[in-house]
Amino acid sequence: MTSPSQNRSALTSVTEGIYWLVTIDVLLVLACSPTILAWTLLPAGPSNVLVLVLAGAPLVPAVSAALYAWRRWSEDPDLVPASRFLHGYRVNLLDSLKVGMPAVIVLGILTANVTFGAQLGTAGFNVAFLILGALVLLLLVRALTIVSNFSFRLVDTLRLSVFTLFAKPLSTLALVSLGVLTLGLVQVVGGFALLLTGSLLTAALWHSEKPVARLLRERFVSPDEEPTTAPAG
């Protein structure tokens, strides 16, 4: 039979996990409030597509901060999720924007071309645009994972993002699956569902990206935990 202490330990773990999920979710919503406001107030149209996509920029450091918080929780599950998130936001803000903003701009251009291809005369390239957009999004998420764990140079972060997409195919497949799940959730329930599931999605993202972090730590981080150079080619 299960002892009372074991039951209490399991209940405590569940309670602490729920506390972390709720706290990270609230912080994600707050960090992404400019994006939520812009997407709520601005109407969709040819003149607003780029603005709407660029308004998604606050999502980049917010996701990076959540990934950092979940990594710290896996190392030490103490009851300070807000502290972990805010620290991750502060230390990763510039690096996450450096890798995120170019990707957001490219995604904005691709979204405009796909959404208004008929008016722009680019409808024949929609499939290519969608594939390129998916690849850019994959690289962006992988780069955020790296930024949230290491302090590589920007060029090394980008090279390692490409490298690990092929070196860790199962993790890449998990990224694709998580993306499909998120898209399906938005299509079925609506965009507001992300406000309630942001912490769960980032927790799942960190869990799927653990093998990538482990690979990079073993191969490209020196014993004193300082990053080395990225692989050639």
Side-chain angles (χ1 to χ4, degrees), residues 50-168:
L50 285 177
V51 177
L52 289 169
V53 174
L54 290 175
L59 296 172
V60 174
V63 171
S64 179
L67 290 172
Y68 175 88
W70 289 121
R71 174 176 71 84
R72 293 301 305 272
W73 180 77
S74 67
E75 298 169 347
D76 182 14
D78 49 15
L79 286 177
V80 287
S83 175
R84 300 302 192 206
F85 182 95
L86 294 174
H87 181 75
Y89 195 97
R90 179 173 58 83
V91 299
N92 295 326
L93 176 61
L94 291 180
D95 285 344
S96 64
L97 288 176
K98 285 179 183 177
V99 301
M101 285 310 300
V104 168
I105 292 172
V106 171
L107 288 171
I109 295 172
L110 293 174
T111 301
N113 286 331
V114 171
T115 306
F116 303 104
Q119 295 96 311
L120 298 174
T122 60
F125 299 97
N126 279 355
V127 174
F129 291 149
L130 288 172
I131 294 174
L132 181 58
L135 179 59
V136 170
L137 194 56
L138 277 176
L139 288 172
L140 171 59
V141 175
R142 179 57 53 79
L144 287 180
T145 299
I146 296 174
V147 165
S148 303
N149 286 276
F150 306 98
S151 298
F152 294 115
R153 296 175 304 171
L154 176 60
V155 63
D156 289 335
T157 297
L158 297 177
R159 293 168 69 189
L160 288 169
S161 298
V162 176
F163 168 72
T164 54
L165 284 183
F166 299 97
K168 284 293 183 180

Side-chain angles (χ1 to χ4, degrees), residues 6-24 70 73 77-81:
Q6 289 176 315
N7 285 332
R8 184 181 182 279
S9 177
L11 179 61
T12 300
S13 297
V14 170
T15 303
E16 291 177 352
I18 293 174
Y19 176 72
W20 264 80
L21 285 170
V22 172
T23 303
I24 296 298
W70 289 121
W73 180 77
D78 49 15
L79 286 177
V80 287

Side-chain angles (χ1 to χ4, degrees), residues 21 39 57 84 121 124 144 171 179 182 208:
L21 285 170
W39 287 356
R84 300 302 192 206
L144 287 180
S171 294
T182 302
S208 70

Side-chain angles (χ1 to χ4, degrees), residues 202-221:
T202 52
L205 175 59
W206 163 241
H207 181 75
S208 70
E209 291 290 275
K210 276 185 179 181
V212 175
R214 190 180 306 115
L215 171 68
L216 296 179
R217 186 170 290 107
E218 292 172 353
R219 294 189 56 177
F220 305 111
V221 176

